[in-house]
Amino acid sequence: MLVLVTYDVNTIEGDGKARLRAVAKACRDFGQRVQFSVFEIEVDPAQWTRLKARLEAIIDPKHDSLRYYHLGANWQRKVEHVGAKPAADLGGTLIV
Amino acid sequence: MKKLLNTVYITTEGASLRKDGKNLVAEVDGAERARVPFHMLSSLVLFGAIYVSPALIGACAASGITIVLLDRAGRFQARVEGPVSGNVLLRRAQYRVSDAPTEIVRSLVVGKIANQRAVLMRALRDHGAGFAVERRAAIENVVDRLAHIIARAERKDDSTDAMRGSEGEAAHLYFSVFDDLILSPASELRWRGRSRRPPLDPINALLSFLYALLTHDCRSAAEAVGLDPAVGFLHRDRPGRPSLALDLMEELRPVLADRLALSLINRQQLQASDFVTEDSGAVRIKDDARKVVLTAWQERKKDERLHPFLDEKAPLGLVPYLQAQMLARHLRGDIDAYPPWFWK
């Protein structure tokens, strides 16, 4: 399934910059960055649970927010990209 | 259903692979070319001189990703595999199925005959107007009869041996009109039937050489996905024979080898003078001409075709790997049948 994770981390409060980096790193471990603060993450439910727990342990809920958009297993028709830096199809044929 | 994991092929020489967090990062000349999370991958296949960082090797081993090293020509060199490996299970499944291989043999045979038929139909389409009426009729007749054999092989009640028989019958028909596909007027470059060990005429020498290249690729492909290349389905086990590689090769032979041989001869990239007959009667390709063949082979492998099952474009050179992967998925029970590769 594909989950879109977006976040807003307040970098002024406390160790905000460190939290921002940690959130980005956790997302990058599981998916690909499609825009600043926006990750497309293809995971199975167990992996999602793990990532979700990791993200929610990082943020400070008083200042930061996370939004999850569940796009399901048949997400291909629900995602459209226009403009620069199109996302790679990680399920497609990968040849470098 | 289990998710089908992806494979990354690295064919750019000088590329370097490293680990970053839980990602595989592929770089060429310092620029990032691909970044894939480990949980989406099942293997890396590297052609030629590719640098792999020690941290990545460790991470792949830990996450069950197989690293396969092939040389520049695509020949198998080494496989790096972590401690928890599905291989023993895959191999056991392969051995079990090889005792009653009817369904896989059916796919292999149908795929092979369909591709042989496609080669003939392609020749009719390209050069049909130039053929003499009776030659054209002969080829059309074989095309029809191959269609009947395919229909028969697809029937469920045929035994494995009956399908082996169908394959032989189809090969006989196919090669009975093979001479008509050769447009060169040279009398040395005629087809008089298959001969091997040793090949006794130039066309046979060329086919044998191309089949050898293809066998290597199929063997590499089998090893790359962790299958035992010696245990086949259509080909029975025999010591020293890469039966599974030969199985994988069957459906690719007409397209990758036969068509290429015909092109080389018909475009006059190879002439009768490019072959030598040795005292034993064996015919061999001269060294210079061999380079022509190898270059054409490598170019051919870069041609992209739509893969009918994956519904994606893939270079012909990757088809053996994709087919071996399908076979492994079928043996593991991820897909119900082995889907043959059809050339269109």
Side-chain angles (χ1 to χ4, degrees):
Chain A
M1 63 184 196
L2 189 78
V3 183
L4 190 77
V5 175
T6 67
Y7 51 81
D8 212 345
V9 176
N10 187 329
T11 51
I12 296 151
E13 299 295 328
D15 53 354
K17 285 195 171 117
R19 292 201 307 275
L20 181 68
R21 278 196 302 273
V23 168
K25 192 157 191 285
C27 289
R28 205 177 54 184
D29 277 354
F30 285 86
Q32 70 172 322
R33 178 172 236 148
V34 287
Q35 285 178 349
F36 300 120
S37 316
V38 180
F39 280 82
E40 279 181 11
I41 292 170
E42 216 182 328
V43 280
D44 63 31
Q47 289 160 340
W48 172 240
T49 311
R50 206 165 354 135
L51 173 61
K52 197 164 172 282
R54 183 168 155 192
L55 287 171
E56 287 162 21
I58 297 168
I59 61 157
D60 171 0
K62 281 203 283 295
H63 303 288
D64 311 333
S65 68
L66 287 161
R67 287 182 78 83
Y68 312 133
Y69 300 81
H70 296 272
L71 294 170
N74 298 313
W75 51 268
Q76 273 86 356
R77 283 181 300 122
K78 296 177 191 161
V79 179
E80 196 179 333
H81 183 97
V82 180
K85 294 186 202 160
D89 177 11
L90 297 180
T93 313
L94 297 171
I95 306 169
V96 173
Chain B
M1 200 180 99
K2 218 156 107 182
K3 186 165 162 40
L4 300 177
L5 296 174
N6 213 339
T7 297
V8 178
Y9 296 95
I10 308 289
T11 57
T12 313
E13 279 204 82
S16 72
L17 305 181
R18 62 182 175 85
K19 166 187 178 289
D20 179 29
K22 287 179 184 170
N23 286 187
L24 159 77
V25 179
E27 287 176 349
V28 179
D29 298 328
E32 189 174 308
R33 291 275 289 273
R35 171 182 285 273
V36 190
F38 290 142
H39 76 267
M40 305 188 74
L41 292 178
S42 65
S43 62
L44 307 178
V45 179
L46 319 179
F47 292 80
I50 312 285
Y51 170 78
V52 188
S53 80
L56 178 65
I57 296 174
C60 284
S63 22
I65 299 169
T66 313
I67 303 175
V68 182
L69 308 174
L70 307 177
D71 72 8
R72 209 183 303 182
R75 274 184 286 272
F76 177 79
Q77 286 184 309
R79 183 164 76 237
V80 183
E81 196 136 19
V84 191
S85 151
N87 264 347
V88 62
L89 302 177
L90 178 62
R91 287 225 172 106
R92 265 178 188 277
Q94 183 186 357
Y95 300 151
R96 266 196 303 274
V97 174
S98 77
D99 290 332
T102 313
E103 288 314 309
I104 292 178
V105 170
R106 192 190 312 280
S107 294
L108 292 167
V109 168
V110 168
K112 177 181 184 181
I113 303 176
N115 288 335
Q116 286 175 329
R117 188 165 169 266
V119 166
L120 297 181
M121 293 199 303
R122 175 69 179 266
L124 283 175
R125 205 159 63 233
D126 288 355
H127 311 293
F131 288 140
V133 179
E134 70 275 18
R135 301 321 306 160
R136 196 188 153 90
I139 299 175
E140 282 169 348
N141 179 35
V142 170
V143 167
D144 289 344
R145 287 174 70 183
L146 291 182
H148 284 298
I149 298 176
I150 294 170
R152 196 178 68 204
E154 279 175 340
R155 271 213 315 266
K156 286 285 171 203
D157 51 349
D158 262 3
S159 70
T160 308
D161 279 328
M163 277 182 294
R164 289 193 178 107
S166 295
E167 191 241 324
E169 191 187 343
H172 179 76
L173 283 168
Y174 170 74
F175 281 121
S176 75
V177 292
F178 199 68
D179 187 53
D180 296 319
L181 310 185
I182 300 169
L183 307 177
S184 164
S187 65
E188 296 92 337
L189 300 177
R190 297 261 57 107
W191 176 258
R192 291 178 201 85
R194 180 85 179 114
S195 58
R196 55 205 195 103
R197 286 182 223 186
L200 299 173
D201 59 58
I203 308 282
N204 272 297
L206 179 55
L207 283 183
S208 288
F209 183 61
L210 290 171
Y211 289 163
L213 294 176
L214 186 55
T215 311
H216 280 304
D217 282 1
C218 291
R219 191 193 175 110
S220 299
E223 301 226 21
V225 299
L227 290 165
D228 186 337
V231 177
F233 304 103
L234 175 60
H235 290 82
R236 293 192 184 87
D237 298 350
R238 190 187 293 165
R241 178 162 81 172
S243 297
L244 180 63
L246 298 175
D247 280 1
L248 285 171
M249 182 175 155
E250 288 301 344
E251 55 193 9
L252 307 172
R253 244 183 231 259
V255 179
L256 272 163
D258 301 355
R259 276 279 307 169
L260 184 61
L262 289 170
S263 303
L264 284 167
I265 299 289
N266 290 345
R267 288 192 206 129
Q268 302 197 356
Q269 285 170 280
L270 289 181
Q271 325 252 345
S273 59
D274 286 321
F275 298 87
V276 284
T277 310
E278 292 173 345
D279 293 341
S280 61
V283 174
R284 186 171 64 75
I285 309 172
K286 286 184 185 165
D287 287 350
D288 286 351
R290 183 171 282 224
K291 283 186 194 139
V292 174
V293 179
L294 279 173
T295 312
W297 170 253
Q298 291 299 348
E299 286 304 310
R300 181 84 172 133
K301 286 205 285 186
K302 286 187 202 156
D303 280 357
E304 293 201 333
R305 293 284 181 282
L306 191 72
H307 190 288
F309 182 77
L310 298 174
D311 200 22
E312 249 173 290
K313 272 198 167 178
L316 285 175
L318 288 183
V319 172
Y321 297 94
L322 297 173
Q323 290 307 105
Q325 211 170 40
M326 301 292 176
L327 188 57
R329 285 172 183 176
H330 169 54
L331 292 171
R332 287 195 167 107
D334 291 347
I335 50 180
D336 293 337
Y338 168 71
W341 180 77
F342 293 112
W343 180 57
K344 281 186 225 167

